[in-house]
C-alpha cells in the first residue's frame, strides 16, 4: 500500500507532519489539543502572512494540500493575558464613544448602521467578559481576590451581564427608547467602572505559577 503523502507545518518553529489530504480544521484541532497545558494558539500564518479569524473560518474545510505553507504560533496564557490587559482600558474607552455613536444613529433612524455597530460592541464586550473570567482563573491569590471600590470581579460581571440582557431584549422588541436609556445609563456607567478597574488590574495582576503534570 502506497504511503500517504505528508505535509509539514511549523508550530513555534518546529516541523510537524500531517496527512496532506486532511482538512485545515482537523489539523488545527490536532495542533491545539497537542499543546502543553495553559498554552493557546495566538496566530496562524499562511506563506508567512498572518490570517484573521474570518479567513481562518473560511479555511476550515479546505484540504491542507490546497493551502500554502502553514505555521502556528502559541503562547502561555499568563503572559498573553498580561499583554491583553493593557488593551482592555483602551477598548472600554472606545466602547464609551460607541455608545454615543449608536444613540446618534438610532435617533437618525439609521437602524442598519446601528445594528452593525451594536454587533461590534457586543463582540468587544464579550471579549472583555472573557478577560475578566481569565484573569480570575489564571491570576495568583491576590489577583483572584481583586476588588475595585469594594466590588469583586464577580459583582461587576453580574451587573454587566444584566445590562446586556436588557439591551438584547429591548433590541429584539425594537424598543429603541428603552434601549438608549440603558445604553446611555447603567451600561455606560458600568463601562466607565470597567475602564478604571482594568487600569488598576493591569498594574497589579500577576499570573499564578502553573504546575505542569509530570
Amino acid at each position: 500500500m502506497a504511503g500517504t503523502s505528508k505535509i509539514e507545518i511549523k508550530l513555534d518553529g518546529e516541523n510537524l507532519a500531517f496527512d496532506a489530504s486532511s482538512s485545515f480544521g482537523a489539523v488545527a484541532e490536532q495542533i491545539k489539543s497537542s499543546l502543553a497545558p495553559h498554552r493557546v494558539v495566538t496566530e496562524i500564518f499562511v506563506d508567512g502572512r498572518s490570517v484573521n479569524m474570518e479567513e481562518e473560518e473560511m479555511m476550515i474545510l479546505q484540504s491542507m494540500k490546497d493551502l500554502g505553507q502553514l505555521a502556528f504560533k502559541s503562547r502561555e496564557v499568563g503572559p498573553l493575558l498580561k499583554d491583553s490587559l493593557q488593551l482592555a482600558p483602551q477598548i472600554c474607552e472606545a466602547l464609551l464613544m460607541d455608545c454615543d455613536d449608536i444613540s446618534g444613529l438610532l435617533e437618525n433612524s439609521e437602524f442598519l448602521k446601528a445594528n452593525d455597530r451594536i454587533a461590534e460592541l457586543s463582540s468587544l464586550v464579550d471579549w472583555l467578559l472573557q478577560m475578566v473570567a481569565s484573569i480570575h482563573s489564571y491570576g495568583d491569590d491576590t489577583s483572584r481576590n481583586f476588588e475595585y471600590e469594594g466590588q469583586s470581579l464577580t459583582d461587576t460581571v453580574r451587573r454587566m451581564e444584566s445590562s446586556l440582557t436588557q439591551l438584547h431584549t429591548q433590541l429584539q422588541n425594537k424598543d429603541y427608547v428603552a434601549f438608549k436609556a440603558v445604553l446611555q445609563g447603567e451600561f455606560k456607567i458600568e463601562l466607565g467602572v470597567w475602564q478604571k478597574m482594568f487600569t488598576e488590574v493591569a498594574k497589579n495582576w500577576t499570573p499564578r505559577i502553573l504546575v505542569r503534570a509530570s
Side-chain angles (χ1 to χ4, degrees):
M1 181 175 177
T4 305
S5 61
K6 297 288 183 179
I7 189 167
E8 285 194 340
I9 297 172
K10 287 188 180 294
L11 171 61
D12 297 328
E14 294 185 8
N15 288 328
L16 302 175
F18 292 91
D19 185 341
S21 63
S22 296
S23 68
F24 166 80
V27 169
E29 282 303 312
Q30 287 182 58
I31 286 176
K32 290 173 183 177
S33 64
S34 72
L35 292 174
H38 310 300
R39 285 193 78 88
V40 293
V41 170
T42 54
E43 284 186 281
I44 299 174
F45 300 86
V46 176
D47 292 332
R49 183 182 65 85
S50 179
V51 299
N52 59 37
M53 291 182 68
E54 287 185 10
E55 292 172 314
E56 187 179 340
E57 287 292 325
M58 293 172 63
M59 289 162 52
I60 284 177
L61 297 178
Q62 287 187 264
S63 174
M64 294 300 299
K65 65 178 181 292
D66 297 328
L67 296 171
Q69 178 62 53
L70 267 83
F72 289 73
K73 183 179 178 182
S74 73
R75 287 188 66 188
E76 286 274 4
V77 172
L80 178 62
L81 285 172
K82 188 76 173 174
D83 289 347
S84 298
L85 269 173
Q86 306 304 316
L87 292 175
Q90 299 171 41
I91 290 174
C92 290
E93 183 177 1
L95 287 172
L96 286 167
M97 291 187 285
D98 285 342
C99 290
D100 294 335
D101 291 345
I102 290 168
S103 293
L105 290 170
L106 291 174
E107 287 172 9
N108 294 325
S109 300
E110 297 183 69
F111 299 119
L112 288 177
K113 288 183 179 179
N115 281 329
D116 287 343
R117 294 294 296 277
I118 291 166
E120 292 172 5
L121 179 143
S122 296
S123 295
L124 288 172
V125 173
D126 284 342
W127 183 84
L128 290 173
L129 285 166
Q130 291 174 19
M131 279 295 299
V132 173
S134 296
I135 62 180
H136 186 268
S137 297
Y138 291 99
D140 62 11
D141 289 340
T142 301
S143 300
R144 288 200 297 274
N145 296 323
F146 174 84
E147 289 188 356
Y148 178 74
E149 295 185 348
Q151 301 290 319
S152 69
L153 293 176
T154 303
D155 293 330
T156 64
V157 168
R158 189 180 295 114
R159 288 199 304 270
M160 181 62 81
E161 289 179 336
S162 174
S163 295
L164 286 173
T165 298
Q166 291 182 67
L167 289 173
H168 288 150
T169 300
Q170 290 150 358
L171 192 62
Q172 286 180 334
N173 295 334
K174 297 184 179 179
D175 188 349
Y176 298 121
V177 173
F179 179 89
K180 285 193 294 180
V182 174
L183 186 72
Q184 292 289 352
E186 59 191 78
F187 180 74
K188 195 172 181 180
I189 290 170
E190 200 60 40
L191 274 177
V193 172
W194 277 36
Q195 184 180 15
K196 295 174 183 176
M197 176 191 74
F198 277 121
T199 300
E200 289 302 310
V201 173
K203 293 177 185 175
N204 304 305
W205 187 80
T206 304
R208 60 188 168 89
I209 298 173
L210 303 174
V211 180
R212 299 187 184 282
S214 55

